[in-house]
mmCIF file of all heavy atoms in Angstrom:
data_model
loop_
_atom_site.group_PDB
_atom_site.id
_atom_site.type_symbol
_atom_site.label_atom_id
_atom_site.label_comp_id
_atom_site.label_asym_id
_atom_site.label_seq_id
_atom_site.Cartn_x
_atom_site.Cartn_y
_atom_site.Cartn_z
ATOM 1 N N PHE A 840 -79.238 -26.811 92.929
ATOM 2 C CA PHE A 840 -78.939 -27.510 91.679
ATOM 3 C C PHE A 840 -77.512 -27.228 91.214
ATOM 4 O O PHE A 840 -77.093 -26.072 91.130
ATOM 5 C CB PHE A 840 -79.908 -27.093 90.576
ATOM 6 C CG PHE A 840 -81.267 -27.729 90.691
ATOM 7 C CD1 PHE A 840 -82.164 -27.313 91.660
ATOM 8 C CD2 PHE A 840 -81.648 -28.736 89.825
ATOM 9 C CE1 PHE A 840 -83.418 -27.891 91.774
ATOM 10 C CE2 PHE A 840 -82.898 -29.329 89.915
ATOM 11 C CZ PHE A 840 -83.793 -28.905 90.898
ATOM 12 N N SER A 841 -76.777 -28.288 90.874
ATOM 13 C CA SER A 841 -75.472 -28.118 90.242
ATOM 14 C C SER A 841 -75.629 -27.691 88.789
ATOM 15 O O SER A 841 -74.833 -26.918 88.264
ATOM 16 C CB SER A 841 -74.666 -29.421 90.298
ATOM 17 O OG SER A 841 -74.243 -29.688 91.610
ATOM 18 N N ILE A 842 -76.670 -28.207 88.151
ATOM 19 C CA ILE A 842 -76.897 -27.889 86.746
ATOM 20 C C ILE A 842 -78.344 -28.170 86.370
ATOM 21 O O ILE A 842 -78.946 -29.124 86.855
ATOM 22 C CB ILE A 842 -75.938 -28.691 85.827
ATOM 23 C CG1 ILE A 842 -76.099 -28.272 84.370
ATOM 24 C CG2 ILE A 842 -76.139 -30.179 85.994
ATOM 25 C CD1 ILE A 842 -75.002 -28.815 83.459
ATOM 26 N N VAL A 843 -78.881 -27.297 85.533
ATOM 27 C CA VAL A 843 -80.175 -27.525 84.891
ATOM 28 C C VAL A 843 -79.905 -27.580 83.399
ATOM 29 O O VAL A 843 -79.516 -26.576 82.786
ATOM 30 C CB VAL A 843 -81.186 -26.416 85.220
ATOM 31 C CG1 VAL A 843 -82.487 -26.638 84.435
ATOM 32 C CG2 VAL A 843 -81.477 -26.381 86.720
ATOM 33 N N GLY A 844 -80.057 -28.757 82.821
ATOM 34 C CA GLY A 844 -79.815 -28.916 81.392
ATOM 35 C C GLY A 844 -80.997 -28.461 80.563
ATOM 36 O O GLY A 844 -82.105 -28.264 81.074
ATOM 37 N N ILE A 845 -80.766 -28.298 79.281
ATOM 38 C CA ILE A 845 -81.794 -27.884 78.338
ATOM 39 C C ILE A 845 -81.875 -28.931 77.230
ATOM 40 O O ILE A 845 -80.856 -29.273 76.610
ATOM 41 C CB ILE A 845 -81.466 -26.499 77.737
ATOM 42 C CG1 ILE A 845 -81.484 -25.430 78.839
ATOM 43 C CG2 ILE A 845 -82.439 -26.146 76.618
ATOM 44 C CD1 ILE A 845 -82.833 -25.188 79.495
ATOM 45 N N THR A 846 -83.076 -29.436 76.971
ATOM 46 C CA THR A 846 -83.245 -30.505 75.992
ATOM 47 C C THR A 846 -82.728 -30.101 74.624
ATOM 48 O O THR A 846 -82.082 -30.890 73.929
ATOM 49 C CB THR A 846 -84.732 -30.899 75.894
ATOM 50 O OG1 THR A 846 -85.206 -31.257 77.192
ATOM 51 C CG2 THR A 846 -84.926 -32.081 74.951
ATOM 52 N N GLU A 847 -83.002 -28.859 74.221
ATOM 53 C CA GLU A 847 -82.561 -28.379 72.915
ATOM 54 C C GLU A 847 -81.048 -28.178 72.858
ATOM 55 O O GLU A 847 -80.500 -27.948 71.778
ATOM 56 C CB GLU A 847 -83.283 -27.078 72.568
ATOM 57 C CG GLU A 847 -84.763 -27.232 72.274
ATOM 58 C CD GLU A 847 -85.618 -27.461 73.519
ATOM 59 O OE1 GLU A 847 -85.139 -27.182 74.649
ATOM 60 O OE2 GLU A 847 -86.772 -27.918 73.383
ATOM 61 N N MET A 848 -80.399 -28.238 73.997
ATOM 62 C CA MET A 848 -78.935 -28.169 74.082
ATOM 63 C C MET A 848 -78.452 -29.415 74.824
ATOM 64 O O MET A 848 -77.656 -29.350 75.750
ATOM 65 C CB MET A 848 -78.509 -26.891 74.812
ATOM 66 C CG MET A 848 -78.986 -25.607 74.137
ATOM 67 S SD MET A 848 -78.662 -24.134 75.157
ATOM 68 C CE MET A 848 -76.861 -24.110 75.155
ATOM 69 N N PHE A 849 -78.946 -30.568 74.384
ATOM 70 C CA PHE A 849 -78.710 -31.799 75.124
ATOM 71 C C PHE A 849 -77.222 -32.132 75.200
ATOM 72 O O PHE A 849 -76.711 -32.485 76.267
ATOM 73 C CB PHE A 849 -79.471 -32.959 74.483
ATOM 74 C CG PHE A 849 -79.526 -34.188 75.347
ATOM 75 C CD1 PHE A 849 -80.508 -34.335 76.307
ATOM 76 C CD2 PHE A 849 -78.587 -35.200 75.216
ATOM 77 C CE1 PHE A 849 -80.566 -35.461 77.112
ATOM 78 C CE2 PHE A 849 -78.631 -36.323 76.015
ATOM 79 C CZ PHE A 849 -79.628 -36.455 76.968
ATOM 80 N N ASP A 850 -76.523 -32.020 74.084
ATOM 81 C CA ASP A 850 -75.100 -32.368 74.084
ATOM 82 C C ASP A 850 -74.300 -31.435 74.992
ATOM 83 O O ASP A 850 -73.431 -31.879 75.749
ATOM 84 C CB ASP A 850 -74.544 -32.328 72.665
ATOM 85 C CG ASP A 850 -75.077 -33.460 71.801
ATOM 86 O OD1 ASP A 850 -75.545 -34.463 72.367
ATOM 87 O OD2 ASP A 850 -75.022 -33.333 70.564
ATOM 88 N N GLU A 851 -74.593 -30.143 74.910
ATOM 89 C CA GLU A 851 -73.906 -29.183 75.771
ATOM 90 C C GLU A 851 -74.206 -29.468 77.247
ATOM 91 O O GLU A 851 -73.310 -29.407 78.096
ATOM 92 C CB GLU A 851 -74.336 -27.755 75.424
ATOM 93 C CG GLU A 851 -73.885 -27.278 74.058
ATOM 94 C CD GLU A 851 -74.890 -27.584 72.957
ATOM 95 O OE1 GLU A 851 -75.727 -28.489 73.144
ATOM 96 O OE2 GLU A 851 -74.847 -26.927 71.909
ATOM 97 N N SER A 852 -75.477 -29.778 77.517
ATOM 98 C CA SER A 852 -75.879 -30.080 78.897
ATOM 99 C C SER A 852 -75.147 -31.305 79.419
ATOM 100 O O SER A 852 -74.624 -31.319 80.537
ATOM 101 C CB SER A 852 -77.397 -30.311 78.959
ATOM 102 O OG SER A 852 -78.114 -29.189 78.500
ATOM 103 N N LEU A 853 -75.107 -32.344 78.594
ATOM 104 C CA LEU A 853 -74.471 -33.597 79.000
ATOM 105 C C LEU A 853 -72.970 -33.403 79.221
ATOM 106 O O LEU A 853 -72.394 -33.950 80.167
ATOM 107 C CB LEU A 853 -74.735 -34.657 77.932
ATOM 108 C CG LEU A 853 -74.360 -36.098 78.262
ATOM 109 C CD1 LEU A 853 -74.989 -36.552 79.563
ATOM 110 C CD2 LEU A 853 -74.789 -37.015 77.116
ATOM 111 N N PHE A 854 -72.351 -32.613 78.371
ATOM 112 C CA PHE A 854 -70.925 -32.339 78.525
ATOM 113 C C PHE A 854 -70.657 -31.639 79.855
ATOM 114 O O PHE A 854 -69.700 -31.985 80.568
ATOM 115 C CB PHE A 854 -70.434 -31.468 77.367
ATOM 116 C CG PHE A 854 -68.976 -31.115 77.451
ATOM 117 C CD1 PHE A 854 -68.008 -32.000 77.016
ATOM 118 C CD2 PHE A 854 -68.572 -29.896 77.982
ATOM 119 C CE1 PHE A 854 -66.654 -31.684 77.102
ATOM 120 C CE2 PHE A 854 -67.224 -29.565 78.067
ATOM 121 C CZ PHE A 854 -66.261 -30.464 77.632
ATOM 122 N N LEU A 855 -71.477 -30.665 80.216
ATOM 123 C CA LEU A 855 -71.294 -29.963 81.481
ATOM 124 C C LEU A 855 -71.545 -30.883 82.672
ATOM 125 O O LEU A 855 -70.878 -30.773 83.705
ATOM 126 C CB LEU A 855 -72.219 -28.748 81.548
ATOM 127 C CG LEU A 855 -71.870 -27.602 80.591
ATOM 128 C CD1 LEU A 855 -72.939 -26.517 80.656
ATOM 129 C CD2 LEU A 855 -70.506 -27.009 80.924
ATOM 130 N N MET A 856 -72.493 -31.801 82.540
ATOM 131 C CA MET A 856 -72.724 -32.789 83.598
ATOM 132 C C MET A 856 -71.507 -33.682 83.762
ATOM 133 O O MET A 856 -71.117 -34.021 84.892
ATOM 134 C CB MET A 856 -73.966 -33.629 83.268
ATOM 135 C CG MET A 856 -75.270 -32.851 83.331
ATOM 136 S SD MET A 856 -76.668 -33.786 82.644
ATOM 137 C CE MET A 856 -77.937 -32.508 82.630
ATOM 138 N N LYS A 857 -70.917 -34.077 82.652
ATOM 139 C CA LYS A 857 -69.702 -34.887 82.695
ATOM 140 C C LYS A 857 -68.605 -34.156 83.467
ATOM 141 O O LYS A 857 -67.932 -34.737 84.329
ATOM 142 C CB LYS A 857 -69.230 -35.196 81.280
ATOM 143 C CG LYS A 857 -67.903 -35.940 81.171
ATOM 144 C CD LYS A 857 -67.533 -36.154 79.703
ATOM 145 C CE LYS A 857 -66.248 -36.959 79.558
ATOM 146 N NZ LYS A 857 -65.057 -36.206 80.002
ATOM 147 N N LYS A 858 -68.432 -32.882 83.170
ATOM 148 C CA LYS A 858 -67.429 -32.072 83.862
ATOM 149 C C LYS A 858 -67.774 -31.919 85.341
ATOM 150 O O LYS A 858 -66.900 -32.001 86.212
ATOM 151 C CB LYS A 858 -67.340 -30.687 83.206
ATOM 152 C CG LYS A 858 -66.692 -30.667 81.846
ATOM 153 C CD LYS A 858 -65.183 -30.868 81.966
ATOM 154 C CE LYS A 858 -64.484 -30.655 80.653
ATOM 155 N NZ LYS A 858 -63.018 -30.859 80.761
ATOM 156 N N GLN A 859 -69.040 -31.682 85.624
ATOM 157 C CA GLN A 859 -69.473 -31.416 86.993
ATOM 158 C C GLN A 859 -69.339 -32.645 87.880
ATOM 159 O O GLN A 859 -68.885 -32.557 89.027
ATOM 160 C CB GLN A 859 -70.929 -30.945 86.983
ATOM 161 C CG GLN A 859 -71.516 -30.644 88.357
ATOM 162 C CD GLN A 859 -70.964 -29.358 88.946
ATOM 163 O OE1 GLN A 859 -70.816 -28.363 88.240
ATOM 164 N NE2 GLN A 859 -70.657 -29.368 90.236
ATOM 165 N N PHE A 860 -69.742 -33.800 87.359
ATOM 166 C CA PHE A 860 -69.838 -34.997 88.192
ATOM 167 C C PHE A 860 -68.747 -36.029 87.921
ATOM 168 O O PHE A 860 -68.741 -37.096 88.543
ATOM 169 C CB PHE A 860 -71.210 -35.641 88.001
ATOM 170 C CG PHE A 860 -72.367 -34.715 88.260
ATOM 171 C CD1 PHE A 860 -73.300 -34.439 87.263
ATOM 172 C CD2 PHE A 860 -72.515 -34.093 89.492
ATOM 173 C CE1 PHE A 860 -74.352 -33.588 87.494
ATOM 174 C CE2 PHE A 860 -73.572 -33.228 89.733
ATOM 175 C CZ PHE A 860 -74.491 -32.966 88.728
ATOM 176 N N GLY A 861 -67.832 -35.722 86.996
ATOM 177 C CA GLY A 861 -66.757 -36.656 86.708
ATOM 178 C C GLY A 861 -67.215 -37.901 85.978
ATOM 179 O O GLY A 861 -66.640 -38.987 86.155
ATOM 180 N N TRP A 862 -68.249 -37.770 85.138
ATOM 181 C CA TRP A 862 -68.775 -38.910 84.401
ATOM 182 C C TRP A 862 -67.837 -39.329 83.272
ATOM 183 O O TRP A 862 -67.010 -38.561 82.804
ATOM 184 C CB TRP A 862 -70.142 -38.576 83.799
ATOM 185 C CG TRP A 862 -71.242 -38.432 84.800
ATOM 186 C CD1 TRP A 862 -71.183 -38.683 86.141
ATOM 187 C CD2 TRP A 862 -72.568 -37.999 84.526
ATOM 188 N NE1 TRP A 862 -72.395 -38.448 86.723
ATOM 189 C CE2 TRP A 862 -73.271 -38.027 85.758
ATOM 190 C CE3 TRP A 862 -73.250 -37.599 83.371
ATOM 191 C CZ2 TRP A 862 -74.615 -37.657 85.854
ATOM 192 C CZ3 TRP A 862 -74.581 -37.238 83.467
ATOM 193 C CH2 TRP A 862 -75.254 -37.272 84.692
ATOM 194 N N GLU A 863 -68.039 -40.565 82.824
ATOM 195 C CA GLU A 863 -67.339 -41.090 81.662
ATOM 196 C C GLU A 863 -68.359 -41.710 80.710
ATOM 197 O O GLU A 863 -69.509 -41.938 81.077
ATOM 198 C CB GLU A 863 -66.310 -42.145 82.093
ATOM 199 C CG GLU A 863 -65.234 -41.612 83.029
ATOM 200 C CD GLU A 863 -64.264 -42.678 83.487
ATOM 201 O OE1 GLU A 863 -64.487 -43.855 83.127
ATOM 202 O OE2 GLU A 863 -63.296 -42.343 84.177
ATOM 203 N N HIS A 864 -67.922 -41.971 79.476
ATOM 204 C CA HIS A 864 -68.748 -42.704 78.511
ATOM 205 C C HIS A 864 -70.134 -42.061 78.362
ATOM 206 O O HIS A 864 -71.153 -42.662 78.717
ATOM 207 C CB HIS A 864 -68.890 -44.166 78.940
ATOM 208 C CG HIS A 864 -67.608 -44.826 79.302
ATOM 209 N ND1 HIS A 864 -66.540 -44.920 78.426
ATOM 210 C CD2 HIS A 864 -67.184 -45.395 80.459
ATOM 211 C CE1 HIS A 864 -65.529 -45.540 79.017
ATOM 212 N NE2 HIS A 864 -65.893 -45.823 80.252
ATOM 213 N N ILE A 865 -70.179 -40.862 77.821
ATOM 214 C CA ILE A 865 -71.454 -40.146 77.713
ATOM 215 C C ILE A 865 -72.020 -40.144 76.299
ATOM 216 O O ILE A 865 -72.964 -39.405 76.009
ATOM 217 C CB ILE A 865 -71.326 -38.697 78.219
ATOM 218 C CG1 ILE A 865 -70.288 -37.917 77.398
ATOM 219 C CG2 ILE A 865 -70.993 -38.670 79.706
ATOM 220 C CD1 ILE A 865 -70.282 -36.429 77.694
ATOM 221 N N ASN A 866 -71.478 -40.973 75.410
ATOM 222 C CA ASN A 866 -72.110 -41.108 74.099
ATOM 223 C C ASN A 866 -73.446 -41.817 74.261
ATOM 224 O O ASN A 866 -73.622 -42.656 75.156
ATOM 225 C CB ASN A 866 -71.207 -41.891 73.144
ATOM 226 C CG ASN A 866 -69.939 -41.113 72.809
ATOM 227 O OD1 ASN A 866 -69.923 -39.890 72.871
ATOM 228 N ND2 ASN A 866 -68.876 -41.835 72.476
ATOM 229 N N TYR A 867 -74.386 -41.516 73.396
ATOM 230 C CA TYR A 867 -75.746 -42.010 73.620
ATOM 231 C C TYR A 867 -76.504 -42.162 72.308
ATOM 232 O O TYR A 867 -76.136 -41.614 71.271
ATOM 233 C CB TYR A 867 -76.518 -41.034 74.512
ATOM 234 C CG TYR A 867 -76.780 -39.694 73.838
ATOM 235 C CD1 TYR A 867 -77.944 -39.465 73.126
ATOM 236 C CD2 TYR A 867 -75.843 -38.662 73.895
ATOM 237 C CE1 TYR A 867 -78.178 -38.255 72.490
ATOM 238 C CE2 TYR A 867 -76.061 -37.450 73.265
ATOM 239 C CZ TYR A 867 -77.231 -37.250 72.565
ATOM 240 O OH TYR A 867 -77.456 -36.055 71.919
ATOM 241 N N ALA A 868 -77.602 -42.915 72.400
ATOM 242 C CA ALA A 868 -78.632 -42.952 71.356
ATOM 243 C C ALA A 868 -79.924 -42.527 72.029
ATOM 244 O O ALA A 868 -80.215 -42.921 73.161
ATOM 245 C CB ALA A 868 -78.768 -44.361 70.784
ATOM 246 N N LYS A 869 -80.716 -41.714 71.355
ATOM 247 C CA LYS A 869 -81.923 -41.176 71.970
ATOM 248 C C LYS A 869 -82.918 -42.287 72.289
ATOM 249 O O LYS A 869 -83.119 -43.218 71.512
ATOM 250 C CB LYS A 869 -82.575 -40.145 71.055
ATOM 251 C CG LYS A 869 -81.768 -38.859 70.918
ATOM 252 C CD LYS A 869 -82.487 -37.850 70.037
ATOM 253 C CE LYS A 869 -81.680 -36.559 69.943
ATOM 254 N NZ LYS A 869 -82.346 -35.559 69.080
ATOM 255 N N LYS A 870 -83.565 -42.168 73.479
ATOM 256 C CA LYS A 870 -84.550 -43.144 73.927
ATOM 257 C C LYS A 870 -85.904 -42.453 74.132
ATOM 258 O O LYS A 870 -85.987 -41.273 74.440
ATOM 259 C CB LYS A 870 -84.107 -43.792 75.249
ATOM 260 C CG LYS A 870 -82.754 -44.506 75.184
ATOM 261 C CD LYS A 870 -82.835 -45.749 74.326
ATOM 262 C CE LYS A 870 -81.500 -46.489 74.301
ATOM 263 N NZ LYS A 870 -81.546 -47.679 73.441
ATOM 264 N N ASN A 871 -86.980 -43.237 73.958
ATOM 265 C CA ASN A 871 -88.333 -42.777 74.276
ATOM 266 C C ASN A 871 -88.748 -41.558 73.452
ATOM 267 O O ASN A 871 -89.433 -40.670 73.929
ATOM 268 C CB ASN A 871 -88.441 -42.449 75.775
ATOM 269 C CG ASN A 871 -89.880 -42.479 76.267
ATOM 270 O OD1 ASN A 871 -90.689 -43.239 75.754
ATOM 271 N ND2 ASN A 871 -90.183 -41.653 77.258
ATOM 272 N N VAL A 872 -88.300 -41.520 72.191
ATOM 273 C CA VAL A 872 -88.678 -40.421 71.309
ATOM 274 C C VAL A 872 -90.087 -40.666 70.777
ATOM 275 O O VAL A 872 -90.396 -41.767 70.308
ATOM 276 C CB VAL A 872 -87.692 -40.296 70.130
ATOM 277 C CG1 VAL A 872 -88.133 -39.195 69.173
ATOM 278 C CG2 VAL A 872 -86.287 -40.016 70.659
#
């Protein structure tokens, strides 16, 4: 695993994924709540 995110730290997890995988446009609205 490159990264295991934590739901309670969703923003931090997503930011690290962006750094790890070179993602862009990671702003979001929650789905399936």
Side-chain angles (χ1 to χ4, degrees):
F840 283 74
S841 289
I842 185 168
V843 175
I845 296 295
T846 304
E847 290 75 17
M848 301 172 66
F849 193 86
D850 290 340
E851 293 90 339
S852 301
L853 190 54
F854 179 82
L855 291 174
M856 292 169 189
K857 175 181 183 291
K858 288 287 188 180
Q859 179 73 42
F860 305 120
W862 290 354
E863 299 178 356
H864 311 302
I865 60 170
N866 293 334
Y867 67 92
K869 291 182 179 179
K870 301 291 182 182
N871 202 31
V872 177

